[in-house]
Amino acid sequence: MSIHSVKRIQSHLAWDNSIPPAIRIKSGESVSFDCLDASNGQITAISTTSAISSLIFAQLDQVNGPVYIERAEPGDTLQVEVLDIETADWGWTALIPGFGLLADEFTEQALKVWSLDKAGWYAWFDAAKTIRIPLRPFAGEMGVAPGKTGAFSTIPPYNTGGNIDTKHLTVGSTLFLPIEVPGALFSIGDGHAAQGDGEVCGTAIETPMKVTVRLTVRKDKSYVKSPQFTTAAKSSQAVDEEYYCTTGIDSDMREATRSAVRHMIEFLGVEYKLSSVDAYMLCSVAGDLRLHEVVDMPNYVVGIMIPKSIFVNSPTR
């Protein structure tokens, strides 16, 4: 299979199905993307806190692409396998006035520039206090173009993906996205070296990245209505455990949670032939609810994660 590439300059600042594709590929082919950080290069390794006040917000959270995948049609599902991620040797975390879960309480701007030890896979938060952060890089933005006409901000998450900021989408994971337009028009960006579930202050360890994914059209997963994914082994707190996750995305956190559970019930019914009653009970005894993204308004991303190990003789697809 061919490996294609999307350059750093091939980026856009809205989800819009009228944007011409940067490249066209066949289903099952791989693409490497060269992405700037979420500031679009406005923050660098030598920046100081003053850089926050000069940010041009209209330039934030750009994504690279879009990629047109042959045979992709509305109603299909795009399978995105994360093959490789290479971060820069630096990153940044900031408090940006007006952003974050506690924006009303933390009103002063702040910037922390990190040195990333890619050999040891960690970064010191505070060496004197021996607080060290393991590096688990992933792309915060992965999505396809919406079926609706118009330009939609890259800041919030949507049912078609976008700024889902889900830390479990590391190398070895697979993301599934519902396709709403011919060709899917996939884009990616917003490199993170590490992040906690929720990204509560509004930024992770933001970093430029090079990421390679394999994009495959699936005709057999039409039940995917919002992002779903499988994690890689050792990517979560339960070492060696792998999960299948369904998500709900809504401006109301309770409704996002309800949607996530409904999607898992449907997944279990299709893939494991469980009745809705049995699937609902299984969600209660084995499913873990997670707040994946709580700061990119107006929408929240809530997931329910089922350990794959409970399906003894039937691996999750």
Side-chain angles (χ1 to χ4, degrees):
M1 290 291 183
S2 301
I3 297 180
H4 304 267
S5 62
V6 173
K7 299 177 181 178
R8 185 170 286 190
I9 60 172
Q10 294 174 300
S11 63
H12 53 99
L13 288 158
W15 298 101
D16 187 337
N17 61 36
S18 70
I19 297 174
I23 60 171
R24 291 173 175 256
I25 69 169
K26 295 179 180 178
S27 175
E29 293 185 327
S30 299
V31 185
S32 293
F33 298 80
D34 185 4
C35 307
L36 279 171
D37 65 290
S39 78
N40 212 347
Q42 295 182 81
I43 296 176
T44 71
I46 59 172
S47 291
T48 63
T49 302
S50 62
I52 304 302
S53 59
S54 61
L55 284 175
I56 302 172
F57 286 87
Q59 297 296 314
L60 300 182
D61 275 349
Q62 79 292 345
V63 289
N64 290 69
V67 175
Y68 185 103
I69 302 98
E70 295 179 7
R71 295 181 56 247
E73 297 293 341
D76 294 341
T77 295
L78 184 64
Q79 176 178 292
V80 184
E81 298 169 81
V82 184
L83 304 180
D84 186 62
I85 298 176
E86 180 184 353
T87 70
D89 59 4
W90 68 278
W92 61 271
T93 304
L95 298 187
I96 303 173
F99 282 79
L101 192 63
L102 303 179
D104 56 330
E105 299 177 26
F106 290 82
T107 58
E108 298 296 321
Q109 62 191 28
L111 176 67
K112 179 179 182 61
V113 176
W114 303 73
S115 176
L116 308 181
D117 185 336
K118 297 196 292 180
W121 286 94
Y122 68 86
W124 285 107
F125 179 78
D126 189 320
K129 296 178 180 177
T130 62
I131 302 174
R132 193 169 72 176
I133 306 301
L135 301 183
R136 296 191 177 100
F138 69 97
E141 293 255 13
M142 287 195 277
V144 293
K148 295 180 181 178
T149 301
F152 298 87
S153 170
T154 55
I155 299 296
Y158 305 96
N159 285 328
T160 48
N163 200 15
I164 53 180
D165 279 340
T166 300
K167 73 172 189 177
H168 306 282
L169 296 175
T170 55
V171 170
S173 65
T174 301
L175 174 67
F176 303 98
L177 297 169
I179 295 172
E180 294 188 355
V181 298
L185 299 177
F186 173 83
S187 298
I188 191 170
D190 189 23
H192 293 167
Q195 181 202 293
D197 269 325
E199 196 188 31
V200 295
C201 86
T203 56
I205 300 182
E206 312 288 338
T207 183
M209 70 173 184
K210 294 180 180 179
V211 55
T212 302
V213 298
R214 182 184 295 117
L215 302 174
T216 304
V217 177
R218 295 286 297 265
K219 304 287 186 179
D220 59 338
K221 289 178 75 73
S222 60
Y223 57 80
V224 174
K225 300 298 190 298
S226 66
Q228 300 186 9
F229 60 88
T230 59
T231 67
K234 300 184 180 181
S235 68
S236 59
Q237 292 179 352
V239 176
D240 294 325
E241 183 61 275
E242 296 179 66
Y243 293 84
Y244 193 92
C245 179
T246 60
T247 67
I249 299 176
D250 199 279
S251 58
D252 182 292
M253 188 178 295
R254 176 175 169 81
E255 287 306 310
T257 306
R258 284 159 58 89
S259 291
V261 175
R262 290 192 193 103
H263 293 154
M264 181 58 78
I265 290 170
E266 185 174 9
F267 164 77
L268 293 169
V270 172
E271 297 289 353
Y272 294 99
K273 312 306 179 187
L274 295 183
S275 70
S276 58
V277 170
D278 283 346
Y280 188 29
M281 288 192 291
L282 184 60
C283 287
S284 192
V285 301
D288 294 325
L289 284 170
R290 298 287 181 90
L291 297 178
H292 294 307
E293 177 55 71
V294 299
V295 295
D296 291 323
M297 296 297 97
N299 293 332
Y300 300 90
V301 181
V302 178
I304 181 167
M305 304 180 73
I306 291 281
K308 293 170 70 174
S309 61
I310 68 173
F311 305 104
V312 179
N313 295 315
S314 182
T316 310
R317 294 189 293 165

